[in-house]
Amino acid sequence: SPYGEIKKYIRVPSRCFNRVLTGTQHSLIIKENGYQVNDKVILGEFIDGRASGRTIEKKITFVENEISGLEKGYCMIEIF
């Protein structure tokens, strides 16, 4: 599929969601799911294990899954 067409939903805790919303956080460490640069993702805020209903759409600008200390099966993405 063409770049930029994919939208994947990522559950994030409220504190993380708020940092992304205010622009103070631009990276996430998440389970690997075939993420690629230019993929669009939807971040969903979760509070106490439940969806709050708030979402943000972002675009992935960087993906790295070979970082020292990063658990196998996880990756770091940068989003803007």
Side-chain angles (χ1 to χ4, degrees):
S1 58
Y3 284 118
E5 296 298 319
I6 298 170
K7 286 188 186 177
K8 294 182 179 173
Y9 186 82
I10 301 171
R11 295 168 52 144
V12 294
S14 184
R15 66 184 184 284
C16 173
F17 184 90
N18 287 322
R19 289 192 300 252
V20 172
L21 187 64
T22 60
T24 57
Q25 180 175 344
H26 299 285
S27 61
L28 299 169
I29 293 176
I30 55 176
K31 285 188 179 178
E32 176 60 56
N33 192 11
Y35 297 106
Q36 296 182 26
V37 170
N38 290 325
D39 282 355
K40 291 179 183 172
V41 293
I42 298 169
L43 305 184
E45 179 187 41
F46 273 67
I47 302 171
D48 297 326
R50 294 175 168 244
S52 70
R54 293 200 311 164
T55 60
I56 310 171
E57 187 172 306
K58 293 287 183 176
K59 185 171 85 168
I60 296 176
T61 57
F62 181 79
V63 179
E64 178 61 71
N65 56 12
E66 295 185 20
I67 299 172
S68 178
L70 190 63
E71 191 175 325
K72 185 170 174 59
Y74 283 78
C75 66
M76 184 196 76
I77 61 171
E78 286 187 358
I79 52 175
F80 285 92

